């Protein structure tokens, strides 16, 4: 084909290119930990968590549900199960995701050519009103906020907000947390009193400037849902970039992955109490992971001292590109420098390297 | 902006060398073994709270 036949706008920066969504799991497809929880933190949909201050009466669920706008199969849903009587000045709750600095170098923050970002998403809530979103630059401790309005109750609406680039502070080029985005569900007056509609030094007072609707947490059975989250360079939102489930899962496993119950691992006895084992990783993790204590027990079999033990702790963790070394403490009964096979028999091994 | 509620923290010692090699911590109500690794967000927050005088890490048993 002659070059003259190729549309010139397809070669320009203004054309829609692939791999432009900076958000992982924006379609809420992946939920490795489970689909429902009554706790805060990362509990259900990967890469999205509830972060909050202490509340008086509030109880809630965070769930992955199949209610979603056309073209999507899942959404993240926050439901208040016990209403807060009133949101005090020092109380706040948001749904947050975070990004690594090395994935944001294209933004040019800290320079005169810092680029704008546009966030688009679908939202649905039983409560209409104005809600805030903060964009927090962790390396520079600076913040900018935007608001959006839910116009119709219990109806999927697509929203889009754009923020300026920040010329005042650069983003570290590393694997640590550099950027947070939080959709405010509730905020007391301590968090809304200072204007942050342009990039400003972070303070409690400007965290959720403009937020004006706390009824989601003060109304039993009130809901707030989100999906189709896309963050892209520029000041125009484009159609959501759908990725395959496998692609999103692999991206999520950089931050959290499960080594399944019934897996077998080769190990080596260390002293009289521990076995060192290497666990292959589905994808390299962002950092050495924490290991939740969820009552693991391993059956060990080898040429001496086979048996089943509850693991008293995992005392050592190093991580390579494709494997994690764990030292599993059985308390006693191990023969030094003896080969073992470990079989996880009671629970999945959960590895978390979230931002 | 990381509001982790850390209610306990205790060093864990390597079973052979006796040197600290992890922290047993209760974070947001859940128990974790946290590696002494700068990039780990749990470890970073534990050390931030220690530096701020908000948290003390108990020594390892026998330490």
């Amino acid at each position: 084909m002659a070059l003259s036949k190729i549309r010139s706008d397809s070669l320009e920066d203004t054309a829609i290119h692939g791999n432009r969504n900076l958000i992982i799991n924006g379609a809420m497809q992946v939920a490795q930990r489970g689909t429902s929880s009554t706790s805060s933190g990362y509990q259900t949909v990967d890469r999205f968590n509830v972060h909050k201050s202490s509340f008086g009466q509030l109880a809630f669920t965070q769930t992955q549900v199949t209610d979603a706008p056309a073209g999507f199969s899942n959404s993240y849903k926050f439901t208040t199960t016990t209403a807060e009587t009133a949101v005090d000045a020092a109380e706040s709750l948001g749904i947050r995701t975070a990004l690594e600095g090395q994935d944001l170098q294209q933004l040019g923050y800290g320079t005169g050519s810092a680029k704008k970002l546009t966030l688009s998403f679908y939202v649905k809530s039983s409560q209409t009103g104005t809600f805030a979103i903060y964009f927090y630059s962790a390396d520079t401790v600076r913040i900018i906020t935007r608001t959006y309005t839910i116009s119709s109750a219990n109806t999927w609406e697509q929203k889009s907000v754009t923020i300026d680039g920040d010329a005042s502070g650069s983003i570290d080029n590393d694997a640590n947390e550099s950027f947070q985005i939080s959709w405010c569900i509730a905020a007391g007056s301590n968090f809304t009193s200072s204007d942050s509609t342009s990039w400003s030094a972070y303070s409690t007072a400007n965290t959720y400037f403009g937020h004006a609707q706390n009824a989601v947490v003060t109304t039993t059975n009130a809901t707030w849902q989100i999906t189709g989250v896309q963050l892209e360079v520029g000041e125009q939102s484009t159609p959501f970039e759908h990725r395959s489930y496998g692609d999103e899962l692999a991206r999520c496993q950089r931050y959290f992955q499960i080594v399944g119950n019934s897996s077998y691992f080769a190990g080596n006895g260390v002293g009289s109490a521990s076995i060192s084992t290497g666990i292959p990783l589905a994808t390299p993790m962002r950092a050495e992971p924490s290991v939740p204590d969820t009552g693991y027990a391993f059956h060990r079999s080898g040429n001496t001292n086979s048996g089943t033990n509850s693991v008293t702790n995992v005392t050592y963790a190093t991580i390579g590109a494709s494997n994690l070394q764990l030292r599993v403490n059985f308390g006693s009964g191990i023969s030094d420098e003896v080969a073992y096979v470990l079989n996880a028999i009671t629970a999945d091994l959960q590895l978390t390297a979230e931002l | 902006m990381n509001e982790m509620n850390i209610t306990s923290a205790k060093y864990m010692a390597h079973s052979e060398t006796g040197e600290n090699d992890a922290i047993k911590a209760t974070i947001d109500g859940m128990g974790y073994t946290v590696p002494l690794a700068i990039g780990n967000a749990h470890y970073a927050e534990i050390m931030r709270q220690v530096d701020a005088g908000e948290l003390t890490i108990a020594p390892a048993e026998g330490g």
Side-chain angles (χ1 to χ4, degrees), chain A residues 51 96 134 136 176-177 180 202 270-271 274 286-294 312-316 327 352 354-355, chain B residues 1-4 12-16 21-22 24-25 27-28 30-43:
Chain A
H51 68 110
R96 182 169 66 187
Y134 77 59
Y136 172 72
N176 297 326
E177 178 183 86
Q180 296 177 4
Y202 161 75
V270 181
S274 299
R286 183 190 65 82
E288 293 182 27
S290 299
V291 183
D293 300 329
T294 55
T312 55
N313 51 51
V314 179
T315 61
Y316 185 72
R327 187 182 297 264
T352 180
E354 293 286 359
L355 292 167
Chain B
M1 296 290 269
N2 279 318
E3 303 86 356
M4 295 180 197
M12 301 168 68
H14 191 291
S15 57
E16 294 302 295
D21 67 356
K24 194 93 164 179
I27 303 171
D28 293 333
M30 189 169 196
Y32 286 94
T33 298
V34 179
L36 309 183
I38 299 298
N40 183 286
H42 289 149
Y43 179 68

Side-chain angles (χ1 to χ4, degrees), chain A residues 258-324:
Chain A
I258 291 173
V259 178
N261 190 0
S262 300
S263 299
Y264 286 81
F265 313 107
N268 183 47
V270 181
S272 60
S274 299
I275 295 175
S276 271
T277 186
I279 295 176
L281 299 175
T283 192
M285 299 194 77
R286 183 190 65 82
E288 293 182 27
S290 299
V291 183
D293 300 329
T294 55
Y296 311 110
F298 283 85
H299 178 81
R300 65 176 193 272
S301 53
N303 55 13
T304 182
N305 295 337
S306 293
T308 297
N309 293 77
S310 294
V311 178
T312 55
N313 51 51
V314 179
T315 61
Y316 185 72
T318 58
I319 191 167
S322 60
N323 70 88
L324 173 73

Side-chain angles (χ1 to χ4, degrees), chain A residues 4-5 14 43 70 122 129 137 157 166 171 190 268 283 322 355:
Chain A
S4 61
K5 300 297 184 186
T14 53
Q43 303 292 346
Y122 291 85
S137 176
E157 300 175 15
D166 187 7
I171 293 174
N190 288 358
N268 183 47
T283 192
S322 60
L355 292 167

Side-chain angles (χ1 to χ4, degrees), chain A residues 24 32 100 102-103 174-175 249-257 283-287 352-354:
Chain A
I24 298 172
Q32 294 184 81
E100 293 178 46
Q102 62 188 1
D103 294 333
D174 60 25
L249 175 62
R251 292 171 189 248
C252 293
Q253 286 173 326
R254 176 170 171 77
Y255 305 90
F256 177 86
Q257 58 183 270
T283 192
M285 299 194 77
R286 183 190 65 82
T352 180
E354 293 286 359

Side-chain angles (χ1 to χ4, degrees), chain A residues 7-22 106 230 232-233 238-243:
Chain A
R7 285 173 48 143
S8 60
D9 61 359
S10 68
L11 303 175
E12 296 171 354
D13 285 343
T14 53
I16 296 174
H17 301 293
N19 206 28
R20 64 192 182 284
N21 190 359
L22 295 169
Q106 62 180 307
Q230 179 152 292
E232 56 197 309
V233 175
T238 63
F240 183 79
E241 180 182 45
H242 290 276
R243 302 185 187 118

